[in-house]
Amino acid sequence: MPTEKQSTVAKHEEGEDELDDWPGTAAYSSKGQKDIQHRMLQTPRTFAVSFTTALPKGDKHCHSPLEATGTLGGSSYPSHAARNRTTSKSIRHAEARRRFSTTRFWQAQQAAQEAPSSKATSLDPQPSKSPDSITPTTEGLSGGLNDQNLTQPEGAGHDWTRSFHGLSSEAFSPEAAKALLAPINPDDIEIKPDGIIYLPEIKYRRILNAAFGPGGWGLAPRGETIVTAKAVTREYALVVLGRLVSVARGEQDYFSPDGIPTAVEGCKSTALRRCCKDLGVASELWDPRFIRKFMAQYAREVFVEHQVTKKRKKIYLRKEDKVQTSIRQFIRMYKALSYIIDHVFLPPKLPQKDDSDAKKSASLVDELLVALRSLQAHIPEQERSEWIPCIKMVANMLELRDHLGGLVAEKVQIALKEMMDRDILALHIRGQNAGLIIRRFSDQYSFESFELSPTNEAIIETRGRLRRCFPGPVIAIGQDRIADASFLEPLAELLVKVDAETPQEVLPIATKAHSKVIETRGTAHPRFITEMLTGILRAVGQPRNVRRIHKHTRDDVLWDNTLKPWRRSALWLFLRVALQTSLMRDDYEEPHRRYKSFMIFFMTHVLEGALEASLTSDTLFIMTAKISRRALKLGAEDGTAWLQYVEATMEAVQQELIRRWSSLEMHPDPRGTQLNWHPSELSFFRDTELTLSKLRLYLARARARSTSRSTYHHFTSDCGRRISQCSSSLPDLSLLPRDGGQVLLYLADLELWVHHSLNDWLRANMERKDACTALAKVIDTYATAASSAYTDMPEDISLMLLTTMDLWVALDKCALHHCPLLHDYDPGFPFSLFEPLLLPRKAQMERLLYVEQHLATRRKAALPGFPSVFRSDDPPKSFAVRYLERPSHHHQELRRKIEAQATTERSQKLSELAKKRHRYHELIKQSDGMHCQYVSRWQRRRQVSEHSNSCGKCQLKSKASGLAIDVHEWPLPKRDLEAMAAVFELDVPEVVSKWRDTTYSILVDILSADPGAQGPSRGKGKRQGVYALHSYVGLSKFVKSQAGRLQLTSTTKPFVISHYRHQKISLASEDNVCVNNGLNYSLYDSKKLRWTEELLDCCDVRERCTLNLPPGPYRGLQYAVNNTIHTSNEVIASQAKCPETLTMHEYYAFGTLRSGHRLQWRNIARELNSRILNFNCYETHALFTQAAWQVGPLSKGDMRRESHADLEEEEFGRSLLSVLNDAVGTIEGNWQGATATRTYVALAARLLSLSTCNAVQEGCYRFLRRARVISLRWTRELGQKLQGGHKEEELKILNARTLEMALTCHGTFDVDPHHVPYLLESDEDIAVVTECSIVVHDRCPVVIDDLPVPIKTLLRRHRRLLYVLEPLLRKRILGVCNGLDMTIGRLWAGYVPGSPWTTLEMPSERWLVTEISNEGGPSSMLVHYNLLEGSLLVNGSPLTRLPRSYESHPTFRRLFGEVTYPNQEAKNEG
C-alpha cells in the first residue's frame, strides 16, 4: 500500500499531464500565473490543474446570461396553479443560476477548442452543442470557479496580485502594536477533541479591527480559486493601511459540489489566520510551554465510547464544557450504512422485518452518486464524458423529490423539458412498484417501464435466483409532445400521483374466510405504468425496439413476528437496471463490463465507509469476499486506476482484520473475567495429595477397643399410610406423587384395589355426576406414576395397561349412563391391541377378557360411518353437532346471545366507518386548499430554505392518511355446522369433557408408540402458531366450561390479531371492515401441541410388552421373540445370518419356537425333550417366558386364548410335567443351571394357572417344591462359599450368584393367589420363603443400577410377590407357626425363640416383632422382621450388614463404594 508521500507524487505527475491537456490552460499567459502553477505543484497536497475563463464575446452559438434567465422567466408555464407560484418562482431562480453557470462552462469549452492543443483529449473539438447539453459536474468545477482575470485597471493603485508594496517599511503605532500583541483571553481559546488549541476566526477579525479600525485592513486575493476533487485553495495578501503585511494560502475541504461556495469562505478564513501569525496575533498558541500550562489549567480528558462498536477513545475539552454528542444523528447514519450493506451485499444475516424508509433510500442514491463522481478520478479522461449522463440521472433522482421523498410535478416538467440528447431521467414510481426510464434521443423520447419487486410467491417458490428481463414495454414519442404544455403537465401530474398513491385496484387481494381483504404484505401490480401509461403513450407514439438485459436477481421474503416482511430494495434493483441499460455497449465483446466494473467500485466505496465506521469483523470479511468474487469473475486488468483503489481498500480492510485478530490474541480476556486464574501454578500432585497424620493412631485405638453389649431397644418405623382396600371410597391419590421411595408399593395397592373393589365402587356411585371426574383423576394419576416407575419392564407395563383399561371401562360405563349419545361413537381401541400383553395369572387374563368384551360391545353399538369423537371432520355426524341437535336448549340459547351481540357491534362499526370516511374527506379537502410552509435558516454562513416540520398542509395530509379503523370479525364460523361445534366447545358437559380427554390420553399417551416417529405434523413438521377457541377475544366472555386437553384450535389467525385487523380509511369498505370469522377449527392436543388426527390410529404396545434380547449372538433373532407371524420357512431362508457362535440347529430351534401361536406349547415341549437350545442363557429364558406369558389372539368367549389351548388338555399337561422333571433333573447338581430352573418354574407356574385338571395341578405343586429344594440348596452352598477368604472381585461374584439363587428359590412361590396356600402349608415352607427374603435383602446392593438386567427383573418380581404374600404370611406367622423362628435360628446361631410374634400398629403392620432374652446380659432384645422387604433387625440394627441409611449416604459411597459382606454367623451377644 503506497504511503501518503508516494500517493501525492503519483498524483502530482498525473497533474502535470493534465495541465498540458486541459482546454483552459490557454487562459494562463502571465509569468505570475505560471509561478502560481509551479508553487501549486510543489505543495504537499494533491491538486488538479486550475484555469481561468473569460466570457467570450460575440459568440453566435452562445446565449447571454440574460437571455438564459429571460427564457426561464417568461411565460413558458402559464398553467401553473396559484398555490404553487412560490415554489415555481424559487425553482425558476435556481434554474436560472444553474443555466448561467452552464453557459459559462460551455463557453469556456468553446474557447478552449479554438485554442491550439498538442494532444487529443476526451474534450477535443466535437460537434457544436448548445449550453443545455452540458451539465456542470465536479469535474467541471475542478478546473476553477470561473473567477475573473485578476488584472489591475490602469491608474487604480497597487496591483496586489503581484505587488509587495510597503512590506516591512515601517512599524505600526504603539497603540496598534499593543492591540496586536495583547495576551489572549483564555476564555477565547477553544480546544479540538484531539487536544489542539485554536482561536476562532472571528477573534482575529476583532483584534485587527481593534488595532487598525474597521476598513483599515483587508485581504486581497493573489491568485485564482483552485478546486480539486476534494479541496479548495487560494492565495491571499493581508493589506493594512495600504501596506502589504503578509501573504498566505488558505485551503478548505468539501464533500459535494454544493459545498464549494462555503469552502471558498473557509479558505479565506484559513489564509487570514496564517497572515495574522506574522503580526504576532495569538502567538502563544504555538508556544509549547503556554500550551502545556493552558491544558493543565483549563482542559480535561474524557473517555467516550463508540455507540455501535463500543470502542473507547480519549478526547479533550474545556473543563466547563460538556461532551456534545449527536447520538441520534450518528445512529441514523449507522442505520443508513447498515441498510445499504444489507441491500447491496445481501449478507447471510438479514433483517427479519421491513426496513424501507425514504431517508435510507435517499442515502443509497446519494452514496451511488458520490461513487459515480469519485469514479471520474479513476478512469481515463477520454471516458469521463460517457459517465456524465449517468451522474446527471442519479443526481436528478434526488433533485426531483421533496423532503418526504415524493416527486414534485414542477421539477418533473422542467427535467423532461430540458433533457438533452443522451440524457436519462430515471423515475422510481414507488406507489406502483414500477420503474420508468425516460431517454432523450435527437428527436424523440423513449419511455421504458417495468415491474420492480416480484411477488412474494415468485420469490418463495423459486429455487435459486429469479431470472428476469428488463425493460418491459418501450414506447417512443416525438419531441413535440414533450414541448406541448397541454401534454407535459398532465403527464407530470400523473407520474406524481401514481408515485404517491397506490390505488386499491393494484394491491393484491387475499381471501380469508370467504372475505376479500387487501394483502398489505404483497407487492403492487404495476399495471398503471406498464399498461395504462404505456397505452396512453402508445396512442401518441410507437413501440421502440431496444436491446434488453436478463438479470438473475436475488431476493428474499423474511419476517419474524412483524407486519411486513423484509424485501430487497426495489430502488436498488431500479438503479442497477438503469445503470446497466445506460452503460451497455453494442459493439463491445462484453457489453456489461463497464457496469460490472462500476458495481465493484461502488461496493468498494461502501466497504470504505464500513471500515471508517468500524463495523464488525464478520461484516467486513463478508463484504470483502463478495467484492473479491465479483472482481475474479470480471477478470479486470491490473494497473487500472479504479482497480488500484479497490485493491488498496481491500488491503486496508485486511490489515484492520489482522490487527483486530492480533489484538484478540494478545488480550484474549478483554473483560478481565479470568484474571484470578493462573494455570501455570496448577499441580496435580499437590492438589490431590491428602495427609491424615492422626488417622493411624485413631485406627490403632479403635482396634484395641473392647466390645460392649448392646442395650439399645429403640426402633422407629418409617412406614407411610397404605392405600385402603375398601370399595366404599376411591384410593387416596395423594400417596402416589408424594413418596417416591414407596411408589411401587402404592402402585401395587392401587392395582389390588382395582382388581377387587372397583366394580363394587362403580355400582354404588353410578348415579353421581362427579363419578366420571373422580375416575378420570384416578386414571390420570395412576398412569402418570406407573409409566415412570415401570419403564423398560414389560411385565409391569402389561399390568399397568390392564389396570388402566379396567379403570377406563368403569369410566366409560359411567359416561354412557349420563350421556347415552356416546353409544353411537366407537372409542377407537383397535381389535387386537392387547394381544402382546404379558399376563402370567389366570385372573389377569379374565380381566382382559372382560375389557375386550366391553370394547366389542361398544364397536357393535357404534353407528357405521360416524367419525371419532376426537376428530373434527364430517361435521353433520360429529358428536358436537348431534349433541346440539338433540336439542340442547342451553347451547342454542348461548348461540342466540352471541349472534345478537355480534349484530349490534357490527351496526356500530358501520356507523364508525361512515364518520371516519367523512372526517377523511374533510381533512383532504382542507389540505388541498393550503400551501406548504417553508422556513429559512443559516447553513454554513448562507441562508437556505427548507420545508417546515410544522407545515399545516402536510400535517393535515398525514393526519388523514393515518386514519384507520379496526375490523369487526363475526365471532362464529360462517358455516352453520361449524358454528354449532364452536358453541358446543364453549360449554362442554363435564362428563363428556372428562371422558373425551381421558380416553384420548389413554389412546395417545399410553397405548401409542412414539407419535413423533409416525410422520410429519401439519405444516411439514414446522411448529406453527395456533389459536384456541377459548382464547378468542370475540367469544371469551361466553366461555362456560374449563378448557381441557382437547380444544378447538385454528392455524389461521383471526382477523382481530392478524395484519388485516386495521384498515386505512382511504382503502376501507364495508366488505373489508365487516368480515367473516377467519378461524378454521380443528381438534388440537394442547399437551403434545399436535393435531389429534396426527396422533390417533398409532396404538401399538407390542414393543413395550416384549422382552428384549441383550447384545450378543441372539440379538438378530429378536423378531422370533416379538411375534408369532413368522414361519419356519422364513427362518430356514435366513440361516445365512446365523452367527458363528450358534449352530444351525440352535438357530433354527430358536427361530421356529414361536412360528404360529397355536404351535408354541408343542414346540416348547419338543424343545424341552430335545434340549437343542442352551437353557442356561438368558436369551432362551426370555424366549420361553414370552411364549408362555403373552396372551395372544382372543378365542371366542374363551379366557385361555388360542395360544394356550393346549394347556387345557390333561395329556399334554402330564407330558409337559414329565419333560420338565427330566430337564430339572439334569441340572440339579450344578448351581449354574439357575437360569434354566427359572425357565422351568415359569412354564410349570403357567401350566398350574391354566390347567383345570387336578392331577396336573398336583404335579405342578410337586415340581415347584422340587425346584425350590434345588435352588435353596444352591443358595446355602454359595452362602457357605462366602464365609471363606476371597478377594474383593470374587466376593462380588459370589454375592451376585447368591442373590440370584435366593431370587430363583423365592420365585417358586410366584403362582396364582389361590394356589399359594398349597405351597405354604408347612412351617418348612414358611421358613424357606422367609429365608430367601432375608438373603435377598442382605445380598442386594443399595444401588441396583449396575446389576444385570435379568437380576433387576427378578428383583421386581420378588417385590411384587412379597406384596401378594404379605397377608398370608402374616396370618401364618402370627398363628401357631415356627417357620420364621426356624429361619432366624439358622441365620443366627444364638437365637432362642422368645415371646410370640406380633405386628406393629397401622400403618406399620408389615413389621413383625418378638422379644427374646439376652443370655448373659441384663436386658432382653427385640427382633423385627419386615414382611415386604425381608429385613431382619435386632435391637433396631441389621444382623449381618450396616444399616441401609449408612450405605446409601453419599459420603459412604464415595469412600467405600459398593461393600460386599462375607457370610458370617452372628455371635450370641448380637
Side-chain angles (χ1 to χ4, degrees):
M1 188 172 180
T3 63
E4 182 180 354
K5 183 176 181 180
Q6 293 171 341
S7 301
T8 303
V9 173
K11 295 184 179 180
H12 166 72
E13 294 173 354
E14 294 177 2
E16 289 181 341
D17 296 335
E18 294 174 359
L19 175 63
D20 297 334
D21 298 341
W22 194 263
T25 56
Y28 286 96
S29 58
S30 64
K31 182 177 182 300
Q33 291 171 334
K34 292 295 184 179
D35 292 339
I36 292 174
Q37 295 182 30
H38 179 72
R39 290 195 301 271
M40 285 288 299
L41 295 177
Q42 298 302 322
T43 56
R45 294 183 57 84
T46 303
F47 294 103
V49 183
S50 66
F51 67 95
T52 306
T53 60
L55 182 62
K57 299 181 181 179
D59 194 335
K60 61 181 180 180
H61 299 293
C62 176
H63 296 288
S64 66
L66 293 179
E67 290 175 340
T69 307
T71 302
L72 288 174
S75 59
S76 302
Y77 307 95
S79 62
H80 288 178
R83 60 187 172 86
N84 294 322
R85 288 174 181 170
T86 303
T87 305
S88 301
K89 183 177 179 180
S90 62
I91 294 173
R92 289 197 296 272
H93 289 172
E95 278 303 311
R97 291 193 297 271
R98 187 185 68 82
R99 294 196 57 181
F100 177 76
S101 299
T102 304
T103 304
R104 298 284 304 276
F105 182 72
W106 177 77
Q107 291 170 349
Q109 283 191 322
Q110 294 298 317
Q113 291 172 4
E114 295 173 0
S117 178
S118 61
K119 296 182 181 180
T121 67
S122 60
L123 297 178
D124 282 343
Q126 296 179 2
S128 176
K129 299 181 182 179
S130 65
D132 289 342
S133 65
I134 304 298
T135 302
T137 64
T138 309
E139 182 184 2
L141 289 172
S142 67
L145 288 179
N146 296 326
D147 296 324
Q148 297 295 328
N149 287 333
L150 296 179
T151 57
Q152 184 77 8
E154 295 182 3
H158 301 287
D159 183 3
W160 296 115
T161 62
R162 293 187 296 271
S163 175
F164 292 88
H165 172 74
L167 184 64
S168 71
S169 61
E170 182 181 0
F172 292 115
S173 65
E175 293 80 6
K178 182 178 180 180
L180 293 173
L181 301 177
I184 308 174
N185 185 357
D187 293 337
D188 293 339
I189 301 176
E190 298 293 339
I191 306 175
K192 290 184 178 181
D194 56 1
I196 297 177
I197 61 175
Y198 69 96
L199 198 66
E201 179 263 349
I202 191 62
K203 305 291 184 180
Y204 289 96
R205 295 180 182 271
R206 291 176 181 175
I207 293 173
L208 292 176
N209 287 333
F212 308 113
W217 66 276
L219 281 177
R222 291 179 66 89
E224 290 74 33
T225 304
I226 300 174
V227 182
T228 67
K230 294 184 178 180
V232 175
T233 181
R234 194 172 192 180
E235 191 177 47
Y236 288 90
L238 176 61
V239 181
V240 177
L241 302 177
R243 296 163 49 190
L244 179 68
V245 175
S246 179
V247 177
R249 176 170 295 278
E251 61 184 26
Q252 182 64 45
D253 295 339
Y254 70 93
F255 300 98
S256 67
D258 295 338
I260 292 178
T262 303
V264 171
E265 287 298 315
C267 176
K268 182 179 179 182
S269 300
T270 304
L272 175 63
R273 288 195 298 268
R274 292 175 177 176
C275 289
C276 286
K277 284 198 298 181
D278 292 344
L279 294 177
V281 177
S283 60
E284 299 95 327
L285 300 180
W286 284 267
D287 184 356
R289 291 182 178 273
F290 175 83
I291 294 174
R292 288 194 294 268
K293 182 178 179 181
F294 176 84
M295 294 294 290
Q297 185 175 359
Y298 296 98
R300 63 189 178 100
E301 299 176 356
V302 177
F303 282 89
V304 294
E305 187 179 70
H306 195 284
Q307 293 296 319
V308 178
T309 63
K310 303 302 181 183
K311 289 185 176 181
R312 294 177 61 83
K313 178 181 179 182
K314 182 174 67 175
I315 65 171
Y316 297 87
L317 69 161
R318 293 182 66 98
K319 291 183 177 180
E320 66 272 15
D321 291 345
K322 296 181 179 179
V323 179
Q324 300 293 328
T325 56
S326 180
I327 296 179
R328 182 177 302 174
Q329 182 180 4
F330 174 79
I331 292 177
R332 183 161 58 247
M333 294 174 60
Y334 174 78
K335 289 183 177 179
L337 179 60
S338 300
Y339 174 85
I340 294 174
I341 293 174
D342 288 339
H343 292 271
V344 173
F345 287 85
L346 213 66
K349 185 178 181 180
L350 291 168
Q352 298 296 310
K353 63 180 180 180
D354 181 33
D355 62 351
S356 59
D357 180 76
K359 293 183 179 179
K360 293 179 182 178
S361 299
S363 66
L364 173 60
V365 180
D366 186 66
E367 286 298 322
L368 188 71
L369 179 59
V370 173
L372 281 169
R373 288 171 173 167
S374 301
L375 182 66
Q376 298 293 82
H378 297 84
I379 59 177
E381 183 179 337
Q382 61 271 17
E383 297 180 6
R384 296 175 183 175
S385 60
E386 299 178 1
W387 292 84
I388 292 178
C390 293
I391 296 175
K392 184 178 178 182
M393 174 191 72
V394 178
N396 281 336
M397 292 183 66
L398 295 174
E399 292 292 335
L400 298 182
R401 297 189 179 272
D402 57 16
H403 66 289
L404 297 177
L407 289 173
V408 180
E410 292 80 1
K411 293 183 179 181
V412 174
Q413 292 181 40
I414 295 173
L416 285 171
K417 193 171 184 180
E418 295 186 353
M419 288 181 68
M420 297 176 289
D421 189 22
R422 294 180 57 209
D423 272 1
I424 310 166
L425 190 64
L427 300 177
H428 175 209
I429 312 300
R430 302 170 304 167
Q432 309 303 314
N433 184 34
L436 182 63
I437 302 177
I438 306 174
R439 304 181 191 274
R440 171 71 187 272
F441 298 98
S442 57
D443 58 349
Q444 62 182 2
Y445 290 74
S446 72
F447 289 77
E448 303 173 1
S449 59
F450 48 89
E451 182 184 23
L452 292 179
S453 294
T455 62
N456 294 339
E457 292 76 12
I459 294 298
I460 295 174
E461 295 173 1
T462 301
R463 300 181 62 181
R465 303 189 180 193
L466 186 63
R467 190 171 187 267
R468 303 180 64 192
C469 180
F470 300 98
V474 181
I475 304 296
I477 63 174
Q479 183 179 358
D480 56 334
R481 290 290 180 182
I482 299 298
D484 185 2
S486 61
F487 177 82
L488 181 59
E489 290 182 10
L491 175 62
E493 293 291 345
L494 173 63
L495 294 177
V496 172
K497 189 173 183 64
V498 295
D499 174 72
E501 300 178 4
T502 305
Q504 187 172 348
E505 293 80 5
V506 301
L507 294 175
I509 301 298
T511 301
K512 181 179 175 67
H514 305 287
S515 295
K516 294 187 179 299
V517 291
I518 297 174
E519 180 53 81
T520 56
R521 290 177 174 171
T523 56
H525 193 289
R527 64 169 62 96
F528 279 98
I529 299 298
T530 58
E531 297 177 9
M532 186 189 76
L533 179 60
T534 300
I536 294 174
L537 297 176
R538 180 66 180 86
V540 296
Q542 58 185 359
R544 179 181 175 87
N545 187 20
V546 298
R547 186 175 180 181
R548 288 174 166 80
I549 62 173
H550 290 83
K551 293 186 72 67
H552 296 267
T553 59
R554 291 183 61 191
D555 202 344
D556 268 317
V557 183
L558 307 173
W559 75 95
D560 182 13
N561 194 24
T562 185
L563 176 61
K564 291 186 178 181
W566 183 91
R567 292 290 305 273
R568 200 173 187 185
S569 172
L571 174 62
W572 175 235
L573 175 63
F574 177 62
L575 289 169
R576 287 183 291 159
V577 172
L579 287 174
Q580 188 170 357
T581 55
S582 301
L583 296 173
M584 184 170 50
R585 292 181 176 179
D586 295 334
D587 56 346
Y588 200 69
E589 294 181 359
E590 297 184 24
H592 306 297
R593 188 175 184 84
R594 287 195 301 176
Y595 163 76
K596 294 179 179 179
S597 300
F598 173 71
M599 283 293 104
I600 297 175
F601 184 85
F602 173 64
M603 294 172 72
T604 306
H605 173 76
V606 178
L607 175 62
E608 186 178 16
L611 179 61
E612 294 175 357
S614 298
L615 295 189
T616 57
S617 299
D618 56 341
T619 302
L620 295 176
F621 177 79
I622 291 168
M623 296 172 69
T624 305
K626 288 182 177 288
I627 295 174
S628 300
R629 183 174 179 272
R630 280 181 172 265
L632 185 63
K633 289 176 62 178
L634 181 64
E637 299 179 358
D638 295 336
T640 56
W642 69 267
L643 186 58
Q644 292 177 1
Y645 164 74
V646 173
E647 292 174 348
T649 304
M650 294 179 64
E651 178 65 21
V653 173
Q654 184 66 22
Q655 292 299 324
E656 173 64 15
L657 295 178
I658 293 174
R659 185 195 64 78
R660 294 181 183 181
W661 179 249
S662 300
S663 176
L664 183 62
E665 287 180 326
M666 294 177 60
H667 305 285
D669 185 25
R671 298 186 178 182
T673 57
Q674 300 178 2
L675 292 178
N676 297 325
W677 184 56
H678 306 287
S680 60
E681 299 178 2
L682 296 179
S683 172
F684 179 81
F685 178 77
R686 185 175 62 253
D687 294 339
T688 58
E689 183 181 11
L690 183 62
T691 302
L692 299 176
S693 58
K694 299 181 179 181
L695 180 60
R696 184 173 300 279
L697 181 62
Y698 173 81
L699 294 177
R701 284 200 300 261
R703 177 174 296 183
R705 191 185 306 162
S706 60
T707 304
S708 60
R709 297 181 181 274
S710 173
T711 59
Y712 180 74
H713 293 78
H714 180 69
F715 170 80
T716 302
S717 172
D718 58 352
C719 300
R721 204 160 40 89
R722 300 278 295 274
I723 293 179
S724 175
Q725 302 297 318
C726 177
S727 62
S728 61
S729 62
L730 288 174
D732 185 1
L733 301 179
S734 62
L735 298 175
L736 286 179
R738 185 191 66 184
D739 195 333
Q742 298 293 328
V743 65
L744 293 177
L745 174 61
Y746 297 137
L747 288 174
D749 287 344
L750 195 149
E751 291 159 358
L752 188 62
W753 182 91
V754 171
H755 178 44
H756 295 291
S757 307
L758 176 61
N759 291 331
D760 295 338
W761 181 91
L762 180 63
R763 283 190 292 271
N765 297 273
M766 181 73 76
E767 301 297 331
R768 288 175 49 187
K769 293 183 178 180
D770 61 343
C772 288
T773 302
L775 286 172
K777 186 177 180 181
V778 173
I779 294 174
D780 179 66
T781 306
Y782 169 75
T784 302
S787 298
S788 176
Y790 294 163
T791 303
D792 298 331
M793 292 294 172
E795 306 163 38
D796 294 338
I797 291 175
S798 299
L799 181 57
M800 176 195 74
L801 297 179
L802 178 62
T803 304
T804 302
M805 290 308 299
D806 281 336
L807 290 168
W808 179 84
V809 170
L811 171 66
D812 189 56
K813 289 182 176 180
C814 187
L816 292 173
H817 177 76
H818 292 280
C819 183
L821 185 62
L822 288 173
H823 278 288
D824 298 341
Y825 296 88
D826 185 358
F829 294 92
F831 176 77
S832 59
L833 174 63
F834 301 106
E835 291 179 3
L837 265 60
L838 301 181
L839 301 178
R841 305 285 180 266
K842 180 178 181 180
Q844 295 172 346
M845 299 181 68
E846 290 175 346
R847 290 164 58 189
L848 179 61
L849 177 63
Y850 176 74
V851 171
E852 291 178 327
Q853 289 176 343
H854 178 81
L855 292 176
T857 304
R858 288 297 310 276
R859 291 191 205 97
K860 186 176 181 180
L863 297 178
F866 274 49
S868 171
V869 180
F870 317 111
R871 299 181 185 270
S872 52
D873 50 358
D874 199 2
K877 299 179 181 179
S878 67
F879 179 84
V881 172
R882 294 187 65 223
Y883 190 91
L884 263 70
E885 290 177 344
R886 288 193 309 169
S888 174
H889 300 288
H890 170 70
H891 287 89
Q892 293 177 357
E893 180 61 26
L894 180 61
R895 180 178 182 180
R896 281 192 290 270
K897 290 181 179 180
I898 295 172
E899 293 177 341
Q901 178 173 327
T903 302
T904 303
E905 292 175 351
R906 178 152 291 190
S907 300
Q908 295 173 354
K909 184 60 66 175
L910 292 175
S911 300
E912 180 186 356
L913 175 62
K915 292 179 182 178
K916 288 191 174 182
R917 275 181 177 174
H918 179 70
R919 177 61 176 163
Y920 173 80
H921 292 300
E922 282 185 346
L923 293 174
I924 293 297
K925 185 177 180 180
Q926 293 178 22
S927 176
D928 291 342
M930 300 174 64
H931 300 287
C932 280
Q933 300 173 3
Y934 292 84
V935 295
S936 298
R937 68 178 181 88
W938 288 92
Q939 181 180 5
R940 295 184 179 179
R941 299 181 182 175
R942 64 174 179 175
Q943 195 172 17
V944 296
S945 178
E946 65 179 19
H947 188 269
S948 174
N949 293 331
S950 58
C951 175
K953 176 183 176 68
C954 295
Q955 286 182 352
L956 289 175
K957 185 180 293 185
S958 176
K959 189 175 181 179
S961 62
L963 286 177
I965 187 172
D966 295 335
V967 301
H968 178 268
E969 184 176 18
W970 193 257
L972 293 176
K974 183 178 181 180
R975 297 177 181 176
D976 183 65
L977 296 179
E978 294 178 359
M980 294 173 66
V983 173
F984 173 79
E985 293 296 331
L986 293 175
D987 190 7
V988 182
E990 185 177 8
V991 171
V992 176
S993 175
K994 295 301 180 182
W995 179 90
R996 186 175 66 177
D997 284 354
T998 303
T999 306
Y1000 176 82
S1001 297
I1002 294 174
L1003 289 171
V1004 172
D1005 297 340
I1006 302 176
L1007 300 178
S1008 293
D1010 183 13
Q1014 301 300 320
S1017 62
R1018 186 183 301 182
K1020 298 182 180 181
K1022 297 181 180 179
R1023 181 177 177 180
Q1024 296 179 333
V1026 292
Y1027 307 92
L1029 174 73
H1030 284 70
S1031 59
Y1032 175 49
V1033 64
L1035 295 173
S1036 58
K1037 65 179 66 176
F1038 298 102
V1039 175
K1040 303 298 182 182
S1041 60
Q1042 186 178 3
R1045 176 173 179 173
L1046 300 186
Q1047 303 177 22
L1048 273 187
T1049 309
S1050 171
T1051 54
T1052 58
K1053 290 183 179 180
F1055 277 97
V1056 293
I1057 64 171
S1058 70
H1059 62 285
Y1060 305 115
R1061 62 183 177 273
H1062 306 303
Q1063 292 291 339
K1064 289 186 175 296
I1065 293 299
S1066 58
L1067 302 175
S1069 64
E1070 292 187 6
D1071 292 336
N1072 59 25
V1073 172
C1074 297
V1075 295
N1076 297 325
N1077 187 272
L1079 296 169
N1080 185 18
Y1081 291 116
S1082 295
L1083 274 177
Y1084 184 74
D1085 184 350
S1086 60
K1087 178 181 178 181
K1088 289 187 174 292
L1089 305 180
R1090 298 278 293 275
W1091 301 98
T1092 59
E1093 61 189 26
E1094 299 170 357
L1095 300 175
L1096 294 172
D1097 302 329
C1098 300
C1099 294
D1100 185 10
V1101 299
R1102 184 172 298 277
E1103 182 178 355
R1104 289 188 294 161
C1105 296
T1106 301
L1107 299 172
N1108 292 320
L1109 300 179
Y1114 290 95
R1115 188 62 177 267
L1117 291 169
Q1118 180 67 47
Y1119 71 90
V1121 182
N1122 295 345
N1123 216 322
T1124 59
I1125 58 176
H1126 58 282
T1127 64
S1128 58
N1129 290 335
E1130 292 176 352
V1131 178
I1132 295 174
S1134 65
Q1135 60 184 333
K1137 300 178 182 179
C1138 177
E1140 295 181 357
T1141 55
L1142 297 180
T1143 65
M1144 291 300 303
H1145 295 288
E1146 288 178 316
Y1147 181 83
Y1148 177 78
F1150 195 99
T1152 58
L1153 184 79
R1154 303 198 66 204
S1155 295
H1157 62 278
R1158 293 185 180 90
L1159 301 177
Q1160 287 184 108
W1161 282 103
R1162 302 286 176 176
N1163 292 336
I1164 289 173
R1166 183 199 65 208
E1167 200 56 44
L1168 288 171
N1169 189 41
S1170 62
R1171 299 189 188 95
I1172 296 176
L1173 292 174
N1174 181 10
F1175 284 89
N1176 289 326
C1177 68
Y1178 171 75
E1179 290 86 348
T1180 304
H1181 172 74
L1183 175 67
F1184 277 74
T1185 304
Q1186 186 77 24
W1189 289 355
Q1190 194 174 79
V1191 295
L1194 177 67
S1195 302
K1196 295 182 179 179
D1198 191 355
M1199 170 272 303
R1200 294 173 180 82
R1201 327 287 282 203
E1202 294 179 356
S1203 301
H1204 307 287
D1206 291 335
L1207 299 182
E1208 297 180 357
E1209 301 178 7
E1210 180 178 357
E1211 182 180 356
F1212 179 80
R1214 292 178 179 272
S1215 300
L1216 183 61
L1217 279 174
S1218 176
V1219 295
L1220 284 174
N1221 279 289
D1222 294 342
V1224 78
T1226 61
I1227 61 172
E1228 62 179 341
N1230 187 358
W1231 53 265
Q1232 293 185 352
T1235 303
T1237 303
R1238 291 196 297 275
T1239 303
Y1240 305 150
V1241 168
L1243 296 176
R1246 188 58 160 173
L1247 177 62
L1248 176 62
S1249 176
L1250 297 181
S1251 177
T1252 58
C1253 177
N1254 293 330
V1256 173
Q1257 292 180 357
E1258 291 294 335
C1260 290
Y1261 295 152
R1262 290 191 297 271
F1263 174 82
L1264 292 175
R1265 292 182 184 277
R1266 181 184 179 188
R1268 182 196 311 166
V1269 172
I1270 295 173
S1271 55
L1272 181 61
R1273 185 176 70 252
W1274 291 343
T1275 303
R1276 292 173 177 173
E1277 289 177 357
L1278 288 172
Q1280 292 296 326
K1281 290 180 178 292
L1282 280 171
Q1283 293 182 3
H1286 298 282
K1287 296 181 180 179
E1288 182 67 22
E1289 291 299 326
E1290 294 178 355
L1291 280 177
K1292 288 184 178 180
I1293 296 174
L1294 290 174
N1295 185 78
R1297 285 294 188 178
T1298 305
L1299 174 63
E1300 181 183 2
M1301 298 307 147
L1303 290 170
T1304 303
C1305 181
H1306 193 269
T1308 58
F1309 296 94
D1310 193 4
V1311 295
D1312 286 9
H1314 62 278
H1315 291 297
V1316 172
Y1318 299 100
L1319 297 177
L1320 287 175
E1321 291 179 336
S1322 64
D1323 292 346
E1324 183 62 29
D1325 296 334
I1326 300 296
V1328 171
V1329 70
T1330 54
E1331 180 180 349
C1332 290
S1333 299
I1334 294 173
V1335 172
V1336 169
H1337 178 270
D1338 290 345
R1339 294 299 161 191
C1340 181
V1342 176
V1343 179
I1344 65 173
D1345 295 339
D1346 297 333
L1347 291 178
V1349 174
I1351 302 300
K1352 289 194 288 186
T1353 303
L1354 289 176
L1355 285 172
R1356 297 291 288 268
R1357 296 175 187 169
H1358 168 74
R1359 291 194 182 101
R1360 188 174 293 280
L1361 179 58
L1362 288 177
Y1363 300 153
V1364 176
L1365 297 179
E1366 178 198 8
L1368 182 59
L1369 283 177
R1370 182 188 299 111
K1371 181 179 179 181
R1372 293 287 178 89
I1373 294 174
L1374 294 181
V1376 182
C1377 178
N1378 299 320
L1380 183 56
D1381 292 330
M1382 295 169 58
T1383 299
I1384 299 176
R1386 187 185 177 284
L1387 298 176
W1388 180 14
Y1391 174 79
V1392 177
S1395 62
W1397 288 92
T1398 59
T1399 62
L1400 299 182
E1401 297 181 356
M1402 292 184 62
S1404 301
E1405 66 273 15
R1406 73 193 71 173
W1407 283 98
L1408 303 181
V1409 60
T1410 183
E1411 184 177 1
I1412 63 175
S1413 62
N1414 187 1
E1415 296 182 3
S1419 62
S1420 62
M1421 294 186 292
L1422 294 179
V1423 180
H1424 293 81
Y1425 176 72
N1426 192 322
L1427 294 172
L1428 295 182
E1429 297 178 358
S1431 175
L1432 180 64
L1433 304 179
V1434 179
N1435 283 347
S1437 299
L1439 188 64
T1440 60
R1441 64 183 300 167
L1442 290 173
R1444 292 263 172 170
S1445 59
Y1446 288 17
E1447 295 186 38
S1448 60
H1449 195 278
T1451 303
F1452 183 92
R1453 297 192 58 78
R1454 185 170 63 252
L1455 293 176
F1456 304 106
E1458 194 66 52
V1459 178
T1460 303
Y1461 299 95
N1463 190 11
Q1464 298 179 358
E1465 290 188 1
K1467 298 180 180 180
N1468 292 346
E1469 48 275 355

